[in-house]
Amino acid sequence: MADALAERCTMLGGPVIGLMQAVMGSQVNPIRFVEVIERAREIQRIVAQGADDVQDAAYTRWAATAPTVLDEIVDGAEHRDRERVWAAFSDPERGLNALAAACAGQPGW
């Protein structure tokens, strides 16, 4: 259902932008790892609401791997491992760009 996808993308838009900024910032300033953890956990809470109502293959594919990817981001940030954080965040198949592709065309994306 397109409305469910639009709703989910709207819910995730701000937190994803915040995570992107924090991840980029953490690459040069380790103090930003705290913010990386906060933003990733915020996205985890949204993803935990489920995706049963979203009838979009790209979104459901991303949502299925999102918990693992977000855990990798959090764990990397907790260990101040900027390379691990970046690798999980930017993974072309499971990272946040996969969500961006699913939400392409939605307001704010």
Side-chain angles (χ1 to χ4, degrees):
M1 177 182 271
D3 291 337
L5 176 63
E7 180 181 320
R8 202 58 48 87
C9 291
T10 297
M11 291 172 64
L12 287 163
V16 168
I17 289 171
L19 178 61
M20 179 182 67
Q21 292 170 333
V23 166
M24 290 180 169
S26 73
Q27 299 302 295
V28 295
N29 185 354
I31 197 142
R32 300 289 302 271
F33 284 129
V34 172
E35 189 178 349
V36 169
I37 294 166
E38 291 170 356
R39 298 295 153 254
R41 287 189 174 145
E42 185 177 0
I43 295 167
Q44 285 175 321
R45 286 189 293 274
I46 295 168
V47 172
Q49 295 175 14
D52 295 340
D53 58 337
V54 179
Q55 302 299 313
D56 180 85
Y59 181 86
T60 54
R61 202 170 30 255
W62 173 80
T65 61
T68 301
V69 171
L70 293 164
D71 284 344
E72 289 172 16
I73 291 170
V74 168
D75 192 59
E78 288 174 343
H79 289 93
R80 298 176 153 247
D81 185 341
R82 65 176 59 112
E83 291 176 16
R84 186 170 176 202
V85 168
W86 183 254
F89 177 83
S90 64
D91 184 289
E93 297 298 319
R94 306 175 315 133
L96 279 290
N97 61 327
L99 172 62
C103 290
Q106 299 296 326
W109 288 87

